Amino acid sequence: MPFDSLCKKKIFKDVPNLENIKIDKHVNGIFSSVFTGMGGRYTRLRIICEIIESSLNTLEIAKKLKIDYKTVQYNLEVMENHNLVVRKGSGYGDVFTPSEIVKSNLPTLYEVIRKVEAKLEAAEKNYIE
């Protein structure tokens, strides 16, 4: 699974008992709308995982994830509009950090990531024979 090592070893190491997660239904709805839709779901998850680990600016994220700068910029705007990231600064070098909603709901985010991974695995099975 694409997020497995990142999730279990770094970001979610403090989430108790990953198999019996209690999720916040309201926050799950927000996360699901941003991270499980067709356009950009995988990219946004990769970005949020990176900034949970450490605050970064758009260029740093683009270089680290090997993604086009404009793609990162667009996806950060989507997450910012849903109050999932916080911008610190007011210019080219703005640094992005996860919002309190994200930080206080890591178990719910982990559950959403598992849903996305299941969809990715199902897609591979359907198209690769």
Side-chain angles (χ1 to χ4, degrees), residues 22-57:
K22 290 186 180 185
I23 61 170
D24 180 308
K25 289 185 182 190
H26 174 70
V27 174
N28 187 49
I30 296 168
F31 287 172
S32 292
S33 70
V34 174
F35 297 119
T36 64
M38 287 302 290
R41 66 180 174 210
Y42 186 68
T43 301
R44 284 193 281 273
L45 280 174
R46 291 178 63 205
I47 291 169
I48 199 74
C49 286
E50 284 300 326
I51 65 171
I52 287 172
E53 190 176 339
S54 66
S55 300
L56 300 167
N57 69 33

Side-chain angles (χ1 to χ4, degrees), residues 4-126:
D4 208 38
S5 64
L6 177 66
C7 292
K8 289 184 179 175
K9 291 180 183 169
K10 293 182 181 177
I11 299 169
F12 300 103
K13 66 181 182 291
D14 297 326
V15 174
N17 196 0
L18 293 173
E19 299 309 315
N20 298 316
I21 293 173
K22 290 186 180 185
I23 61 170
D24 180 308
K25 289 185 182 190
H26 174 70
V27 174
N28 187 49
I30 296 168
F31 287 172
S32 292
S33 70
V34 174
F35 297 119
T36 64
M38 287 302 290
R41 66 180 174 210
Y42 186 68
T43 301
R44 284 193 281 273
L45 280 174
R46 291 178 63 205
I47 291 169
I48 199 74
C49 286
E50 284 300 326
I51 65 171
I52 287 172
E53 190 176 339
S54 66
S55 300
L56 300 167
N57 69 33
T58 307
L59 183 60
E60 291 169 329
I61 296 167
K63 285 181 177 180
K64 208 167 185 185
L65 297 177
K66 297 180 176 126
I67 300 173
D68 179 66
Y69 179 89
K70 289 284 189 185
T71 301
V72 173
Q73 190 176 39
Y74 169 77
N75 284 290
L76 284 168
E77 286 175 14
V78 169
M79 290 187 286
E80 189 174 23
N81 289 339
H82 285 87
N83 299 315
L84 300 178
V85 297
V86 176
R87 179 188 306 255
K88 294 183 179 178
S90 59
Y92 174 75
D94 295 354
V95 173
F96 292 87
T97 61
S99 69
E100 273 308 308
I101 294 170
V102 173
K103 289 190 237 178
S104 61
N105 288 284
L106 288 179
T108 303
L109 179 60
Y110 183 73
E111 187 63 29
V112 170
I113 287 172
R114 289 174 28 178
K115 284 182 198 174
V116 171
E117 288 178 326
K119 285 181 184 179
L120 290 172
E121 285 182 354
E124 286 178 15
K125 290 177 187 171
N126 289 335

